[in-house]
Amino acid sequence: MSPSTQRITVGELAARFLEQCGVRAAFGVISIHNMPILDAFHTRQKIRFVSARGEAGACNMADAYARVSGTLGVCVTSTGTGCGNAAGAMVEAITAGTPLLHLTGQIESPFLDRDLGYIHEHPAQLAMLKSVGKDAFRIRNPETALATLREAVRLAQTPPCGPVSIEIPIDVQKMKLDLPADLSPLAVPPVQPNLAAVDQLAERLLSAKRPLLWLGGGARGASAAAQRLVKMGWAVVSSVQGRGIVPEDHPASLGSYNLQKPAEEFYETVDALLAVGTRLRSNETLNYKLKLPATRYRIDANALAHNRGYTSELFVHGDAEITLNALADRLEGRMQIDPKLAADVKRARAEAASLVDGTLGQYVKLKNTLAEVVGKNLWWVRDITLSNSMWGNRAPVLDHPRAGVHALGGGIGQGLAMGVGVAVADAEHQLGRRTVSLCGDGGFMLNVGELACAAQEKANVVFLVMNDQRYGVIKNIQDDIYGSRHAYVELHTPDFAQLCASLQVPHFKLADPAATKDTLQKALAHGNGPVVVEVDMNAWGPFAVKFAGPPKKKEEV
Ligand SMILES: Cc1ncc(C[n+]2csc(CCOP(=O)(O)OP(=O)(O)O)c2C)c(N)n1
């Protein structure tokens, strides 16, 4: 060691490395077992650390931060129980394909893996982390710390992206090493498509008269490339995770009205479907029974996507943006697309949207007024609640590939924390949009401690809490198939006005549909922290149609 070499701890190394990754905010709960990392965040003041009230919320926040900012999400937890608390949110992150680094502690190395009953030890922590995420590593000494950090982040950012964990025993976090001269992350080169395969795909598509592009979350980076095809006259539809890649008000877009009857009827008239960066998941395809166009092609950066869910005639393994651009180069000016296609999409979309509206009863007013008041300048965050399943997954119009953030894996209780993560991303990356998070009262209560975090962090979120004082969707399912035996669904719900007052969070009760516009305007006018708009569903009345679980084909019900 030369006298001028700076010595840093492994904890500080982690902080400095994350700075190099472009991370501007991290989320977690402080603990004896992660203090060397958080002390470095604090001392260096380069990364904002958000103290969540629980590790589940922290991990949801990091996930949402990554989805909106396009940078790595980071959450920091304690070893043992704290780490385990993050597991459900890790499941959400892997379902959504979010690039996330989860740093957690471990007990002192000399006692580790010896079954000594050492406090905070979870003997199979690494195995748990491997199973709930994409991969997991342990840093055993300062010499290998940087390589492990680099590889974990590379894996997290390599499609299919996902959360990767690193556990660092507390003694190792405090150990010192020479400050490395180069702390840059590893490159993650996009998957280059085989150009002969692109030629072949172009050859097949050249004769298509009514082509349709289906975009999933894997195509989020391919907005401009996708729009080249749309400009040529292609129609476009998206998964819920692919919303806004092509602005949803484009006349050739079905938006995410992808499984309603009018959409399915429209698919019958399509002579080539190109599915890009999509898993064609159960919830998007009526459990894989949705009748997609018979002639299908697929592009995906995950080689394993080939023939999953639905078969295709041709598969190109490649990055969505590069492959779609290569395809557009070969097709532009050479296709003769049916000029009636756009009008047919428009009709199918209008019919699908009106079918959705017809199920909503009074709540159509909430849907339409929100769109009117907030406009398109929106981060649209949603928990699992009736209102999201019924309309939030399709409306309002999104115009940005990262504008939609929802609990893709179906777990309730994540919308509150995700709203915080989104608002922090918006503030730290100066993105300039309003965050609105749609939650059920049941889901909101699951992680309600994060409302205190939202207040402390001045997270700029309007929470729309759909309060029916019960697990509404479960009650509907009980009506549907359990002989209306309403067990375990009625909830003791707080007085949200008092709860919010105690946290100094502005609260509006929306009990009269006629007051919707005024209330939303007032809520959105607050620009300095969270606001709760409680929609009193018992005053508003029921939806016109009972939603009882993910939509299925009639014969399956
Ligand atoms: C983590 C988790 N636990 C349990 C469930 C089962 N579940 C699905 S929806 C639901 C009710 C949600 O209630 P609420 O948030 O009030 O929304 P509502 O259905 O009333 O619109 C429950 C308990 C789940 N999806 N996720």
Side-chain angles (χ1 to χ4, degrees):
M1 178 181 80
S2 81
S4 61
T5 309
Q6 195 181 338
R7 300 281 287 169
I8 60 167
T9 63
V10 169
E12 182 173 339
L13 178 80
R16 285 179 181 261
F17 173 68
L18 293 175
E19 291 163 19
Q20 295 297 308
C21 295
V23 172
R24 297 195 201 154
F27 306 82
V29 179
I30 193 161
S31 146
I32 294 175
H33 290 94
N34 60 32
M35 287 173 74
I37 303 168
L38 299 201
D39 190 50
F41 284 163
H42 172 72
T43 311
R44 294 181 57 72
Q45 291 289 306
K46 298 266 171 48
I47 292 177
R48 170 175 170 186
F49 183 73
V50 173
S51 284
R53 298 304 186 268
E55 290 81 2
C59 189
N60 283 144
M61 289 175 198
D63 176 342
Y65 168 91
R67 292 194 210 180
V68 158
S69 68
T71 51
L72 181 73
V74 176
C75 84
V76 188
T77 67
S78 178
T79 182
T81 306
C83 179
N85 282 347
M90 296 278 288
V91 171
E92 170 59 25
I94 197 155
T95 307
T98 303
L100 189 146
L101 181 68
H102 172 202
L103 293 174
T104 188
Q106 230 335 334
I107 66 162
E108 311 244 350
S109 333
F111 306 111
L112 185 52
D113 294 334
R114 294 175 56 194
D115 201 13
L116 293 171
Y118 200 96
I119 183 146
H120 273 294
E121 184 176 19
H122 166 212
Q125 180 170 290
L126 203 54
M128 174 191 73
L129 290 170
K130 275 184 199 278
S131 73
V132 296
K134 184 172 170 181
D135 210 339
F137 301 91
R138 176 183 293 169
I139 292 180
R140 291 166 196 277
N141 55 52
E143 295 75 34
T144 56
L146 181 57
T148 309
L149 284 161
R150 279 182 163 145
E151 178 60 1
V153 170
R154 188 191 70 79
L155 272 175
Q157 293 181 325
T158 300
C161 299
V164 176
S165 300
I166 303 180
E167 58 172 29
I168 320 179
I170 183 60
D171 53 322
V172 177
Q173 288 182 41
K174 294 180 204 160
M175 286 178 189
K176 294 208 164 172
L177 70 157
D178 289 352
L179 173 62
D182 175 15
L183 285 171
S184 56
L186 298 174
V188 184
V191 181
Q192 295 292 337
N194 174 335
L195 291 181
V198 180
D199 286 341
Q200 240 186 322
L201 179 58
E203 208 49 52
R204 302 271 190 110
L205 287 169
L206 264 179
S207 56
K209 299 278 176 283
R210 295 177 64 89
L212 172 68
L213 191 57
W214 177 307
L215 300 171
R220 277 184 167 151
S223 258
Q227 287 183 61
R228 285 177 70 188
L229 295 189
V230 174
K231 213 166 173 193
M232 290 160 57
W234 285 57
V236 62
V237 66
S238 82
S239 306
V240 177
Q241 189 72 334
R243 292 183 63 183
I245 294 172
V246 172
E248 290 181 314
D249 52 0
H250 191 289
S253 173
L254 264 177
S256 59
Y257 293 94
N258 54 17
L259 49 62
Q260 288 72 15
K261 201 84 210 138
E264 198 174 42
E265 281 162 14
F266 170 73
Y267 297 155
E268 277 186 34
T269 75
V270 164
D271 59 2
L273 174 77
L274 178 59
V276 186
T278 173
R279 287 166 290 181
L280 300 169
R281 303 165 65 238
S282 59
N283 259 26
E284 313 283 343
T285 57
L286 307 173
N287 280 347
Y288 317 101
K289 297 233 164 57
L290 182 70
K291 248 186 127 211
L292 291 180
T295 306
R296 298 184 289 268
Y297 305 103
R298 205 150 165 180
I299 295 171
D300 208 292
N302 179 3
L304 294 172
H306 186 20
N307 286 340
R308 266 194 186 166
Y310 286 80
T311 56
S312 54
E313 297 195 1
L314 239 171
F315 176 83
V316 181
H317 178 218
D319 170 80
E321 183 185 23
I322 296 173
T323 311
L324 280 179
N325 271 326
L327 192 64
D329 289 343
R330 287 158 176 76
L331 294 177
E332 258 161 6
R334 298 179 64 202
M335 291 183 77
Q336 267 113 42
I337 293 177
D338 179 357
K340 292 205 307 294
L341 186 64
D344 293 343
V345 176
K346 202 170 166 194
R347 190 174 334 108
R349 170 151 180 188
E351 285 172 16
S354 100
L355 279 183
V356 167
D357 283 2
T359 65
L360 300 181
Q362 297 256 49
Y363 299 93
V364 79
K365 175 141 199 159
L366 183 64
K367 167 188 153 270
N368 291 343
T369 311
L370 177 72
E372 183 193 334
V373 172
V374 81
K376 284 189 264 171
N377 199 30
L378 171 70
W379 303 121
W380 181 224
V381 184
R382 290 103 61 204
D383 209 337
I384 301 298
T385 180
L386 284 165
S387 296
N388 184 51
S389 301
M390 295 180 73
W391 61 268
N393 276 337
R394 325 278 164 205
V397 161
L398 300 182
D399 68 342
H400 185 289
R402 298 188 172 280
V405 175
H406 73 297
L408 198 69
I412 67 167
Q414 308 184 80
L416 198 175
M418 283 180 164
V420 177
V422 168
V424 169
D426 184 272
E428 294 307 314
H429 294 260
Q430 289 160 17
L431 302 172
R433 284 178 175 242
R434 278 306 252 139
T435 306
V436 178
S437 176
L438 178 69
C439 304
D441 58 306
F444 202 73
M445 288 308 294
L446 192 149
N447 231 345
V448 74
E450 302 309 347
L451 190 57
C453 170
Q456 183 166 354
E457 295 292 329
K458 296 202 183 323
N460 237 338
V461 193
V462 173
F463 292 105
L464 278 181
V465 180
M466 305 302 298
N467 186 6
D468 59 0
Q469 300 190 305
R470 61 178 61 93
Y471 291 145
V473 69
I474 303 286
K475 189 174 182 193
N476 288 353
I477 295 169
Q478 290 170 334
D479 281 340
D480 218 24
I481 48 181
Y482 291 93
S484 290
R485 291 183 296 281
H486 295 152
Y488 320 126
V489 289
E490 297 302 329
L491 300 175
H492 178 77
T493 308
D495 178 328
F496 281 105
Q498 284 188 30
L499 176 73
C500 291
S502 72
L503 292 167
Q504 284 127 48
V505 170
H507 167 271
F508 298 89
K509 188 157 185 165
L510 181 49
D512 176 5
T516 303
K517 188 168 180 181
D518 184 51
T519 307
L520 291 180
Q521 276 172 336
K522 281 190 186 134
L524 284 159
H526 280 270
N528 191 27
V531 179
V532 169
V533 175
E534 175 193 354
V535 180
D536 180 349
M537 295 179 75
N538 294 325
W540 277 56
F543 291 99
V545 168
K546 271 191 182 171
F547 177 93
K552 297 187 176 74
K553 278 271 182 190
K554 276 269 179 310
E555 58 269 27
E556 248 196 291
V557 176

